[in-house]
Amino acid sequence: MPICMMSGPLLTKDYVNLTTEVAGWGVYDIDVPKPAIVLQTIKLTVVENERCAKSFKEQAEIGPTQMCVGGDVGYDSCSGDSGGPLMKVEVHQGPPRYYLLGVVSFGAKRCGATTMPGVYTRIVSYMTWILENMHE
């Protein structure tokens, strides 16, 4: 399935408590920190930014242009996944498609070893800029 940009009602949809999917080539075993040789994917749940802000209060400020995902021990994006897609399959004007919700930004140093969610850049916050800067 192609990855599509969000449109219409998907721009204002609240994804908290919904399952998303992250893809990346980063570390997949924190005890053996080597990058993946096969693209990895994982399904993670979007959590409230307030929960995330509490988790990162000593390290970073979490704002409205970010979203937080995961927080279950053993499941996380990791070092080397930054810039990768956070996607959600949606049916909107046609067949099911992957829609890009976010981009992997940062997380706990020992990814997957704590209940700290990962932090992602919220694509909808930059949609106007993206559309204005797309070229054929």
Side-chain angles (χ1 to χ4, degrees):
M1 283 185 238
I3 296 175
C4 302
M5 296 298 285
M6 296 174 291
S7 63
L10 298 180
L11 289 171
T12 57
K13 188 170 182 176
D14 177 8
Y15 289 93
V16 172
N17 296 322
L18 295 180
T19 301
T20 58
E21 191 168 356
V22 180
W25 296 94
V27 171
Y28 61 93
D29 181 347
I30 195 65
D31 295 322
V32 183
K34 295 181 181 177
I37 57 171
V38 174
L39 182 64
Q40 303 293 302
T41 64
I42 190 165
K43 292 185 179 182
L44 300 170
T45 303
V46 177
V47 299
E48 304 84 5
N49 273 22
E50 293 78 21
R51 173 183 165 193
C52 195
K54 287 178 186 174
S55 294
F56 285 97
K57 68 181 175 208
E58 302 297 321
Q59 293 88 10
E61 192 172 314
I62 306 301
T65 62
Q66 295 164 308
M67 60 191 305
C68 299
V69 181
D72 294 321
V73 174
Y75 304 93
D76 204 356
S77 54
C78 203
S79 177
D81 290 326
S82 295
L86 173 68
M87 306 165 285
K88 174 85 174 109
V89 174
E90 294 280 0
V91 176
H92 178 70
Q93 298 178 346
R97 295 185 175 138
Y98 279 97
Y99 285 86
L100 185 63
L101 301 181
V103 176
V104 180
S105 186
F106 66 93
K109 184 170 185 157
R110 290 199 41 88
C111 39
T114 73
T115 57
M116 290 178 79
V119 181
Y120 296 71
T121 300
R122 188 183 299 267
I123 290 295
V124 71
S125 298
Y126 298 93
M127 189 61 68
T128 301
W129 183 90
I130 291 168
L131 293 172
E132 288 174 352
N133 288 278
M134 284 177 44
H135 303 283
E136 287 187 34

